[in-house]
Amino acid sequence: MRQKQAAAPDTDPYFPAHGDTRYRIHRYELALAYRPTANRLSGTARLSGVADRGPLREFSLDLADFRLNRVTVDGRTTHYTHRGGKLRIRPERTLEAGAAFTVEVHYAGNPAPIRSHWGGLGWEELTDGALVASQPIGAPSWYPCNDRPGDKASYQISLTAPSPYTVVVGGRLLTRTTRASSTTWVYEQPAPTSSYLVGVSIGRYETLPFTSRASSSDARRPVPQTAYVPARLVPEFTTDFARQPQMMKYFEDVFGPYPFNEYAVVVADEELDVPVEAQGLATFGTNHLDGQGGSERLVAHELAHQWFGNSLTVADWRHIWLNEGFAKYAEWLWSEHAGGPTVQILAARAHAHLRQHRQDLRLADPGRRLMFDDRLYARGGLAVHAVRCALGEDPFFRMLKGWTTIHRHGLVTTTDFAAHAQQYTARPLGPVIDAWVRQSVLPPLSTPV
């Protein structure tokens, strides 16, 4: 039986200034043009939504400091104000509860990252090109949106850039049209997508399809996988990502079917602090290639996010451990499957590391300051391992597939996970989850029964 999806809170406790819960967007259509040499972005955003709460006399979108040329609601020019990252719109006619509406925003400017505790987020100008890394609040740096993880929508993105550049967006490439010196790339992402998970990369890339054929005993259609890599780095990439097709097959075995239609990997021609996850897309830096597979755990981590974080999305940022803990555990699962250190060895290493640090982190609500702390990733993986040890092998892996199936393309919370996992054992699981997720003191390392 399909469980009821989690509801997003009225405001995100960590980012109360972002998003507007009085409506929801179900479709974004972006028609944009970008000039890399000038870092100039311009175009139109068309948003189709529904007023959840009425009467709605005004509503807001999140958008950084662009010049607005025109704003319309249902084709009618409307009054608006735009300051402090908020575009406040007053439609000519009040929107009643349940009313569908369409907003169009015509805008232009020089996109820049949103300032945050973790540095700049969102649109990032590179030495030769650009990329988008929006988690958690960077999406307004380049398009108007309802910027909260709980408002998921489909996307069509048309982006025109000079022809020497390749434009990559998470989704299926519908058309690529060249006129004179510019090329327009049109992508479609039909699956519900949070604003922070819309990925874009613009650069000079070689295109490398690397989907493996399914074996004769495997009836599944292989997931189309494509890489976009600077030409000089193709040899290193070919080695470092050689096992990604096998990784995809293994994760489908343990997590269930891949939740999207395709998967793309970009190696931006720049060093990046960490890889960037997006829906159907992951972006790595040149520093993540060494020609020896040295970053394979990161390849596994980013791929696992397609299930945990992208398909199953946190209802609000308090639950981020559900993204990062499962992605960390996926690293350990792949290591053991591929002949490297076992899950138990990697769990022991993570536990020993955490014992050396302060015990002031609660996974279920780490606070904004600690939501990307390295300890959250490690403790999240250990929490998943503790649930595995409590459930046993077969119930655990059935639980995993049930979790990704029941909540596919939906929203999840810690409470949802606890209730779901409890269905796979007659023993009370609450004490295990409470100790690992809701308390700050580090429990003893879990071991299989």
Side-chain angles (χ1 to χ4, degrees):
M1 179 179 293
R2 191 173 180 86
Q3 294 180 355
K4 183 179 178 181
Q5 299 289 358
D10 281 350
T11 58
D12 192 293
Y14 293 177
F15 305 100
H18 279 249
D20 188 335
T21 61
R22 294 172 294 178
Y23 68 91
R24 50 192 164 85
I25 300 297
H26 58 80
R27 174 82 169 165
Y28 288 82
E29 295 174 347
L30 309 181
L32 307 174
Y34 182 64
R35 289 186 287 140
T37 55
N39 187 37
R40 184 74 174 175
L41 186 70
S42 61
T44 302
R46 179 182 176 89
L47 289 65
S48 300
V50 175
D52 275 346
R53 304 175 186 177
L56 197 58
R57 296 181 177 85
E58 62 88 22
F59 59 92
S60 66
L61 296 171
D62 299 287
L63 180 64
D65 187 20
F66 288 92
R67 186 186 76 248
L68 303 188
N69 299 321
R70 186 157 57 99
V71 178
T72 66
V73 176
D74 294 330
R76 299 172 182 267
T77 302
T78 187
H79 176 75
Y80 66 87
T81 60
H82 183 212
R83 63 175 66 93
K86 279 290 185 182
L87 172 55
R88 302 186 186 277
I89 299 170
R90 184 176 299 169
E92 186 176 290
R93 297 177 180 176
T94 298
L95 300 172
E96 300 298 333
F101 64 94
T102 300
V103 182
E104 278 195 9
V105 181
H106 301 250
Y107 64 107
N110 302 105
I114 303 290
R115 294 179 181 177
S116 80
H117 172 75
W118 309 278
L121 304 172
W123 191 281
E124 183 176 348
E125 181 185 9
L126 304 178
T127 303
D128 189 19
L131 63 79
V132 167
S134 290
Q135 189 181 23
I137 54 168
S141 68
W142 67 284
Y143 73 102
C145 57
N146 192 16
D147 191 33
R148 55 190 183 93
D151 195 12
K152 302 175 76 170
S154 65
Y155 281 78
Q156 185 175 106
I157 299 177
S158 168
L159 208 159
T160 301
S163 293
Y165 291 86
T166 298
V167 174
V168 186
V169 177
R172 182 165 66 95
L173 177 62
L174 299 181
T175 62
R176 183 179 64 189
T177 307
T178 299
R179 292 188 178 89
S181 60
S182 296
T183 299
T184 299
W185 307 69
V186 181
Y187 285 85
E188 175 76 22
Q189 176 55 269
T193 307
S194 296
S195 53
Y196 85 93
L197 287 170
V198 182
V200 177
S201 189
I202 302 170
R204 301 175 191 263
Y205 302 128
E206 293 286 320
T207 302
L208 307 173
F210 66 121
T211 302
S212 292
R213 293 183 179 180
S215 67
S216 58
S217 62
D218 191 342
R220 294 174 299 187
R221 177 184 66 89
V223 177
Q225 299 172 63
T226 308
Y228 301 88
V229 184
R232 74 180 190 282
L233 297 176
V234 167
E236 289 86 349
F237 176 88
T238 301
T239 297
D240 292 336
F241 283 75
R243 297 202 289 188
Q244 183 179 282
Q246 290 73 32
M247 192 184 291
M248 177 71 79
K249 289 180 181 179
Y250 173 65
F251 283 172
E252 285 197 299
D253 287 340
V254 293
F255 302 149
Y258 179 73
F260 306 109
N261 293 326
E262 57 282 298
Y263 184 56
V265 168
V266 173
V267 177
D269 201 355
E270 199 115 345
E271 292 193 359
L272 303 179
D273 290 340
V274 293
V276 177
E277 72 193 71
Q279 191 130 310
L281 170 68
T283 303
F284 296 79
T286 57
N287 51 310
H288 298 127
L289 300 183
D290 62 8
Q292 301 177 37
S295 294
E296 191 169 83
R297 72 171 188 85
L298 299 178
V299 177
H301 188 102
E302 299 311 314
L303 178 55
H305 271 313
Q306 301 305 317
W307 286 266
F308 307 107
N310 300 4
S311 176
L312 278 64
T313 303
V314 293
D316 66 77
W317 291 108
R318 289 174 297 180
H319 310 286
I320 189 172
W321 84 272
L322 292 171
N323 295 2
E324 302 302 345
F326 279 90
K328 172 59 72 174
Y329 202 66
E331 296 178 29
W332 300 351
L333 288 171
W334 172 252
S335 172
E336 181 171 293
H337 178 77
T342 66
V343 170
Q344 192 63 35
I345 288 173
L346 293 171
R349 291 175 183 174
H351 194 270
H353 177 74
L354 288 175
R355 287 202 309 268
Q356 300 174 15
H357 292 79
R358 293 177 58 184
Q359 307 297 312
D360 62 346
L361 177 103
R362 289 193 308 121
L363 287 183
D365 188 0
R368 184 168 68 175
R369 184 177 61 86
L370 296 180
M371 61 184 285
F372 295 117
D373 192 291
D374 288 344
R375 293 174 297 162
L376 182 139
Y377 293 61
R379 181 159 178 158
L382 288 168
V384 176
H385 188 59
V387 171
R388 178 181 179 178
C389 292
L391 292 180
E393 292 298 283
D394 181 65
F396 173 76
F397 285 104
R398 286 192 289 110
M399 182 277 294
L400 270 188
K401 284 188 176 179
W403 178 238
T404 62
T405 300
I406 291 168
H407 296 283
R408 182 180 174 94
H409 300 317
L411 305 177
V412 293
T413 67
T414 299
T415 298
D416 294 332
F417 176 69
H420 175 78
Q422 183 61 70
Q423 297 178 42
Y424 293 82
T425 180
R427 298 168 54 191
L429 201 58
V432 173
I433 292 179
D434 285 344
W436 280 99
V437 175
R438 297 191 173 96
Q439 305 299 321
S440 58
V441 175
L442 184 69
L445 176 66
S446 301
T447 56
V449 177

